Amino acid sequence: MSLNLYDTATREVSEFKPLVAGQVSIYVCGATVQAAPHIGHVRSAVNFDILRRWLVKSGYDVTFIRNVTDIDDKILQKAMVEKMSWWALALKYERAFTDAYTALNVLPPTYEPRATGHITQMIELMDQLIENGAAYAPGNGDVYLEVRKLKRYLSLSRQNLDDLQPASDSDETYKKDVRDFALWKAAKPDEPSWPTPWGPGRPGWHLECSAMAHAYLGETFDIHGGGLDLVFPHHENEIAQSEAVGYRFAQRWLHNAWVTQSGEKMSKSLGNTLQVQEILKSVRGIELRWYLGSAHYRSMLEYSPEALQEAAVNFKRIENFLSRATELVGAKPTPRINTEFTKAMNEDLAVPAALATISENLRLGNQAITDNDIAGISKNADEIRGALEILGCDPLDPAFASSSGSDLTEALDGVIALALAERASARERKDFAASDTIRDGLSALGITIEDTAQGPRWSIN
RNA sequence: GGUCGGGUGGCCGAGAGGCGAGGCAAGGGACUGCAAAUCCCUCUACACGGGUUCAAAUCCCGUCCCGACCUCCA
């Protein structure tokens, strides 16, 4: 069974064939670290993390590059506002992104290059582009790519150059065409700069990704990913720069859709963003990940607090089954992937269909508990755990290990066992008022008591 | 103006010519001292108007509505 993936360039789902058998190279546009991450940012990270985990599970050796753009106009602006050095601001928010990724169990990339660490590669790239006539340095310190000379420009977004609305800041006197874009920007007073043959300056947005993709993945690689809003101009311009020097660049383009609120894209300019750190006050990281990963990556995910809570409750049911299964089987489930799940994931990562297989496993597994069918419990628990592992939501993953020490849990278990013994004797003498007082008391402390065929069990809400 | 998504039941969310994904909520039932948890059953749908077809949520034409990008964006 082979993996089929969508490609933004062809607008079709097709069989994924890596350039080198058994290996996959991926470049994903990471954050421009100018503010704390909102849930749209991490949705993108989660989507591509699921892709990566699925490729690894499918037997590929995956090289996964996700960059950090740590220099751009917005970062300089924000640094002024926050009255700190641009580099301090960039690192501050880079850490915020890293914390968010960690909280959501997004695997660290194979390498995470920063734009400012690749100025040399950018200068080399511009050098080549100027030499072969694709780019020009008008003499003021800027370097532009001459888009009119490109044959395939805008093929990813399928637009015509002449149909584009002129840029709002198109009073550029140095550009040959208003649509030419800056590879490099001359330093203004008080701005950071690096020396180049064309004068001191700093990278324009776009150039860093071409340079870094080339540095780590070579002239061509399998998959380039990012948010849908990067198709134009960012990815078009990456293609333009890279193809103009003769690189074949990305073989396939994957773009994730947004998180929306009331149908509108979450964005800083609308002020409707939901910070990851805020959301994590109401749900755990694993629950937020379960929620963000639940929709198909190419579909908009309409956020609502209710939907998030629903997802969290839904996830707790699965966790509850896994912990009961572990108790009854006497061993942690062994992750296993079933054919239905595989089929779903191989069809352009159809996570919603994959979730339906988990629901079925859950139903059958709970039924097996009722029937005391250990083999059935085990089978379904194994398959659920296997699926959760791919989705990055395995509650037994050490990444989600609870911070409360096991000593504490043991002590608590002992205390609750005492209370439950009292309750059991009260029930035996049919003193239900007394037994309910104990249960209600524990419940008020956030401890839920369930009476099962194997006796009472407790859990913390 | 150009390019591109979308409108599915009370809600979320798949599907893309035929057998109503799945989840949540709701109603009924089983289990329970009562609960909780769990299981079983039931209900509600494809924006609108035409067309193609034996068959349309799915394809075509038109209309309405929502959203995104057009050099800030995951």
Side-chain angles (χ1 to χ4, degrees), chain A residues 244-255:
Chain A
V245 285
Y247 303 159
R248 281 171 56 223
F249 212 53
Q251 296 301 297
R252 182 181 292 270
W253 291 84
L254 256 49
H255 292 97

Side-chain angles (χ1 to χ4, degrees), chain A residues 27 65 67 113-115 117-126 128-129 184 203 206-219 221 224 237-238 241-242 245 247 249:
Chain A
Y27 186 94
I65 305 295
N67 73 290
R114 293 189 187 124
H118 298 78
I119 303 293
T120 310
Q121 288 86 342
M122 294 186 213
I123 293 173
E124 275 171 23
L125 196 52
M126 286 189 286
Q128 289 173 272
L129 288 168
W184 192 259
H206 314 308
L207 187 62
E208 80 282 16
C209 284
S210 291
M212 293 187 282
H214 179 246
Y216 300 101
L217 300 177
E219 297 193 359
F221 52 94
H224 192 129
N237 289 353
E238 280 187 51
Q241 297 152 359
S242 302
V245 285
Y247 303 159
F249 212 53

Side-chain angles (χ1 to χ4, degrees), chain A residues 233-382:
Chain A
H234 188 55
H235 289 161
E236 291 288 10
N237 289 353
E238 280 187 51
I239 294 171
Q241 297 152 359
S242 302
E243 292 192 347
V245 285
Y247 303 159
R248 281 171 56 223
F249 212 53
Q251 296 301 297
R252 182 181 292 270
W253 291 84
L254 256 49
H255 292 97
N256 65 280
W258 304 301
V259 178
T260 57
Q261 278 192 97
S262 309
E264 288 189 318
K265 177 188 170 191
M266 192 167 288
S267 81
K268 287 159 214 154
S269 49
L270 275 174
N272 64 344
T273 65
L274 292 160
Q275 304 290 305
V276 174
Q277 288 310 317
E278 278 305 304
I279 299 281
L280 288 179
K281 287 175 185 169
S282 66
V283 296
R284 293 172 297 155
I286 198 169
E287 292 165 344
L288 177 57
R289 180 173 175 128
W290 176 255
Y291 171 66
L292 291 175
S294 65
H296 190 265
Y297 74 92
R298 284 193 284 119
S299 295
M300 302 294 168
L301 176 63
E302 171 68 15
Y303 174 83
S304 72
E306 294 76 22
L308 176 63
Q309 289 305 326
E310 185 190 304
V313 169
N314 190 269
F315 187 73
K316 285 190 188 104
R317 287 184 66 220
I318 297 171
E319 271 182 311
N320 192 252
F321 166 71
L322 286 182
S323 74
R324 287 203 67 190
T326 303
E327 289 163 20
L328 297 171
V329 174
K332 285 182 182 176
T334 310
R336 219 154 48 82
I337 303 290
N338 68 29
T339 53
E340 290 77 19
F341 185 86
T342 300
K343 201 177 150 201
M345 293 303 285
N346 275 342
E347 199 48 46
D348 195 31
L349 308 176
V351 171
L355 296 185
T357 73
I358 295 178
S359 291
E360 180 70 358
N361 280 133
L362 185 62
R363 191 177 64 80
L364 294 173
N366 278 318
Q367 216 160 42
I369 287 179
T370 305
D371 299 343
N372 201 27
D373 164 16
I374 299 297
I377 296 170
S378 194
K379 175 182 186 286
N380 286 291
D382 288 355

Side-chain angles (χ1 to χ4, degrees), chain A residues 9 12 35 56 61 99 107 130 158 227-228 252 340 358 382 394 406 420 431 441 460:
Chain A
E12 278 172 357
V56 169
D61 180 11
D99 290 347
L107 295 170
I130 290 174
R158 301 194 176 179
L228 195 53
R252 182 181 292 270
E340 290 77 19
I358 295 178
D382 288 355
D394 176 11
S406 57
L420 289 178
D431 184 356
I460 298 179

Side-chain angles (χ1 to χ4, degrees), chain A residues 395-414:
Chain A
L396 300 169
D397 187 325
F400 291 119
S402 141
S403 54
S404 63
S406 57
D407 292 355
L408 197 62
T409 308
E410 266 176 42
L412 188 59
D413 193 45

